[in-house]
Amino acid sequence: MTTPDTSVLTLPLPPGSTIGIMGGGQLGRMLSQAASRLGFDVLILDPEENCPAARVSRGQFVAAYDDPAALNIMGRACDVVTFEFENVPAASIERLAEGGALVAPGPTALAVAQDRVDEKTFLNAVGASTVDFVAVDVLDDLIAGLATLGAPALLKTRRDGYDGKGQAWVASAYEAAGAFAAIGGRPAILEARAAFTRELSIIAARGHDGSVAVYPLGENQHAGGVLRLTSAPAAVDVATTARARAIAEAILDGLDYVGVIGIELFDLGHGTLLVNEIAPRVHNTGHWTQDGCVCDQFEQHIRAIAGWPLGPTQAHARVEMTNLLGSDIDAWPTLAAEPDARLHLYGKAEARPGRKMGHVTRIYPDT
Ligand code: AMP
């Protein structure tokens, strides 16, 4: 393995360079597949031996995400390190960066996205509007917040929430104590209810040189807080597209971001978009790009972090992406026989209920 000296590291990284990915789930796996097609080697760090990404990569460090020895070796072995999920400890990313590794996206973007209060504060500061919110540390904050924001309002843990976990609707002050207990009495955010007509998302990328590439919007359907379906490109007017693009650029520039980002939006109708949350990584609502675009979000991320020119983002097909959760995967023989469907399976052995096992894209070529 080579030991990069980042003081002389020059971009773009040539094929044959090594990319490190923190996290070895399906996003790491699809990133690794995209990277290998461009001639890179990939090393995964994940505590789970033989994780989905490791099985398509050159190697794996089987270690905790905050294991100092593993981080040191990973930093030295890789020309650039990235991550596939936002709950990687920000301190680990800082450690890698301080050790001289090139890390993208950087620690600031990760830290902002890990805390819902910091995230919304940042978003509003760069002109990307969100629902009104209050920080909740103790029960009295929640009761006062309900009076300010109105009920019902949504209580979410500040940190570590994903796919609707750690969330509770609060219909009145009488429910406050129960809701706070339901999320473990942890530091939280209380959000005003967004009266959205639909949920959209935008996948965008920014390079080391500040160049930005933005994909067409996707329209998303969730069930139980988990994404089920994305249709893209979403039917949106020119003004909404322009607004979403401006939001993406403000966020990317505000974070001095490098890589792909997923931005979830609430469409309130009448051209008003609010940002729900940002994910500093490739995103489930961007999987449609695998079969709808020449350069998908995974290749785009690899291009961005390696300092390559960003790829084209226009869609050549309309795509419906459906997540295969838990036992949905059992339908693979039928799905494989559908002429316009493309299967993407993650190689996970155990189909626990609700677990993301794969996705299927249905492709409607743009004539
Ligand atoms: P999140 O974990 O923040 O992405 O939330 C999961 C889902 O809950 C979103 O996709 C929305 O469907 C819903 N949701 C989240 N925040 C709000 C809100 N403030 N108002 C209404 N619905 C929300």
Side-chain angles (χ1 to χ4, degrees):
M1 286 181 196
T2 53
T3 301
D5 174 357
T6 47
S7 61
V8 295
L9 193 67
T10 49
L11 295 171
L13 297 178
S17 304
T18 300
I19 293 176
I21 303 177
M22 303 276 284
Q26 67 270 14
L27 299 179
R29 179 178 171 105
M30 291 183 276
L31 281 169
S32 182
Q33 288 167 326
S36 82
R37 196 171 59 77
L38 298 181
F40 294 108
D41 282 344
V42 176
L43 295 172
I44 304 291
L45 191 153
D46 190 298
E48 181 197 321
E49 203 165 339
N50 211 20
C51 59
R55 298 212 299 281
V56 299
S57 300
R58 180 173 134 208
Q60 176 184 3
F61 301 104
V62 182
Y65 294 118
D66 57 359
D67 181 319
L71 290 170
N72 285 346
I73 300 170
M74 172 108 166
R76 284 202 305 276
C78 298
D79 297 293
V80 61
V81 178
T82 189
F83 45 87
E84 60 129 35
F85 75 120
E86 61 271 36
N87 291 327
V88 166
S92 297
I93 298 299
E94 273 157 26
R95 188 185 180 98
L96 282 164
E98 281 162 13
L102 178 62
V103 183
T108 310
L110 182 65
V112 166
Q114 283 179 340
D115 182 306
R116 292 186 190 273
V117 172
D118 292 351
E119 180 182 59
K120 285 196 166 55
T121 305
F122 160 77
L123 289 167
N124 285 291
V126 296
S129 303
T130 68
V131 291
D132 292 334
F133 65 96
V134 295
V136 172
D137 290 318
V138 293
L139 184 58
D140 280 350
D141 296 334
L142 174 52
I143 292 167
L146 280 171
T148 317
L149 302 175
L154 188 51
L155 185 66
K156 303 177 180 176
T157 53
R158 272 179 83 144
R159 306 178 69 88
D160 297 331
Y162 65 97
D163 284 348
K165 293 187 176 64
Q167 303 189 5
W169 281 101
V170 197
S172 72
Y174 296 108
E175 292 183 7
F180 197 40
I183 65 153
R186 291 194 282 156
I189 184 172
L190 186 69
E191 297 184 7
R193 185 175 70 91
F196 57 82
T197 54
R198 58 181 173 168
E199 293 187 71
L200 300 171
S201 58
I202 191 151
I203 307 296
R206 186 169 178 274
H208 289 279
D209 61 356
S211 57
V212 168
V214 181
Y215 288 94
L217 286 153
E219 180 170 341
N220 307 310
Q221 290 170 30
H222 296 83
V226 181
L227 180 72
R228 293 307 309 231
L229 183 88
T230 299
S231 310
V236 283
D237 58 30
V238 176
T240 303
T241 302
R243 177 80 194 117
R245 194 186 165 95
I247 287 172
E249 285 176 353
I251 293 170
L252 289 168
D253 289 342
L255 292 171
D256 194 19
Y257 195 88
V258 175
V260 163
I261 195 168
I263 304 169
E264 295 182 21
L265 302 165
F266 294 137
D267 182 0
L268 305 192
H270 318 296
T272 306
L273 296 176
L274 300 181
V275 179
N276 174 31
E277 63 178 3
I278 57 177
R281 53 172 169 79
V282 287
H283 197 245
N284 196 169
T285 68
H287 291 359
W288 71 272
T289 59
Q290 289 176 307
D291 298 306
C293 301
V294 168
C295 175
D296 69 28
Q297 63 163 349
F298 301 100
E299 176 174 337
Q300 193 73 282
H301 186 71
I302 299 300
R303 281 172 171 258
I305 65 173
W308 286 29
L310 298 181
T313 52
Q314 66 269 28
H316 56 67
R318 194 168 66 75
V319 176
E320 268 189 10
M321 188 292 306
T322 305
N323 271 339
L324 300 175
L325 305 178
S327 59
D328 294 350
I329 186 86
D330 297 341
W332 69 264
T334 318
L335 296 168
E338 266 187 51
D340 297 322
R342 205 156 167 244
L343 263 182
H344 301 259
L345 304 182
Y346 307 151
K348 296 182 184 175
E350 200 191 337
R352 292 192 292 273
R355 191 176 195 204
K356 290 177 178 167
M357 301 300 294
H359 62 272
V360 58
T361 51
R362 295 193 170 83
I363 306 161
Y364 308 95
D366 197 356
T367 46

